[in-house]
């Protein structure tokens, strides 16, 4: 309770409460070394905001954040600008890339929402297959959520949303806990 009282403040209280409640259901699972499964799931071609292709080899040596969100999700709409501000400040120095995995119901909504994001995205054609597998493998239960992965494709934080919001200086938000 002290942790909650200390960290939850300001206009994001309701959003953070929802995230916190979700975390309580996610935090008791198996070890986090998903190595080859994570790497194989990430091995595809992504696109950036300008339409350029980005491959897994382009992400070599970087921390990766899998960001699960959707345009219709109020919490996502509040969290995306927070993470975008941080990403724009640190992604080059910290070697951090975010892959957006949409949970939108249609491609036009996803395309419109992606214009607000400075990172790369999983193509719409792979959302129902590869995106669903990413969500399942990282054992997510809600959105928005961010799973942090190190350069060796180990999950180092299965749910980094609160860390990103309240502890931005603690990159890469490694908890070496379970997913």
């Amino acid at each position: 309770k002290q942790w909650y009282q200390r960290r939850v403040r300001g206009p994001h209280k309701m959003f953070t409460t929802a995230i916190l409640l979700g975390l309580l259901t996610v935090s008791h699972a198996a070890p986090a070394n998903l190595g080859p499964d994570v790497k194989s799931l990430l091995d595809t071609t992504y696109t950036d905001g300008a339409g350029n292709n980005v491959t897994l080899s382009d992400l070599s040596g970087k921390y990766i954040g899998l960001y699960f969100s959707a345009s219709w999700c109020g919490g996502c709409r509040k969290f995306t600008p927070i993470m975008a501000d941080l990403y724009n400040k640190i992604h080059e120095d910290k070697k951090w890339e975010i892959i957006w995995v949409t949970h939108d119901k249609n491609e036009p909504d996803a395309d419109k929402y992606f214009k607000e994001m400075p990172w790369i995205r999983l193509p719409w054609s792979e959302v129902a297959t590869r995106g669903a597998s990413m969500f399942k493998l990282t054992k997510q239960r809600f959105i928005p959520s961010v799973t942090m992965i190190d350069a060796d494709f180990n999950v180092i934080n299965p749910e980094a949303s609160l860390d990103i919001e309240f502890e931005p200086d603690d990159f890469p938000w490694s908890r070496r806990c379970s997913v």
Side-chain angles (χ1 to χ4, degrees), residues 12-13 35-37 59 73 94 99 106 115 127 141 170:
H12 304 295
K13 188 172 183 175
D37 293 329
L59 303 177
C73 167
K94 302 290 186 179
I99 299 170
N106 61 66
K115 290 178 184 176
V127 168
R141 289 186 167 80
D170 289 348

Side-chain angles (χ1 to χ4, degrees), residues 54-159:
V54 178
T55 64
L56 186 60
S57 63
D58 296 322
L59 303 177
S60 178
K62 294 185 178 184
Y63 288 94
I64 297 169
L66 294 178
Y67 179 39
F68 303 97
S69 73
S71 64
W72 51 262
C73 167
C76 302
R77 300 296 264 170
K78 291 176 184 173
F79 182 70
T80 296
I82 293 168
M83 190 163 67
D85 287 344
L86 181 62
Y87 174 85
N88 287 331
K89 290 176 188 170
I90 71 169
H91 82 277
E92 288 182 17
D93 291 340
K94 302 290 186 179
K95 296 184 178 180
W96 180 35
E97 188 57 70
I98 296 173
I99 299 170
W100 181 51
V101 182
T102 183
H103 279 252
D104 275 299
K105 297 173 178 134
N106 61 66
E107 190 172 7
D109 287 347
D111 291 344
K112 183 178 177 185
Y113 189 37
F114 183 62
K115 290 178 184 176
E116 301 173 23
M117 301 177 193
W119 42 73
I120 63 177
R121 74 186 282 187
L122 183 68
W124 177 260
S125 62
E126 295 189 51
V127 168
T129 54
R130 189 179 301 268
S133 295
M134 288 176 177
F135 195 75
K136 182 177 179 182
L137 182 67
T138 58
K139 300 193 179 192
Q140 297 302 336
R141 289 186 167 80
F142 60 89
I143 59 173
S145 61
V146 179
T147 297
M148 287 297 297
I149 300 168
D150 68 14
D152 296 320
F153 304 102
N154 296 304
V155 174
I156 59 172
N157 191 335
E159 180 36 64

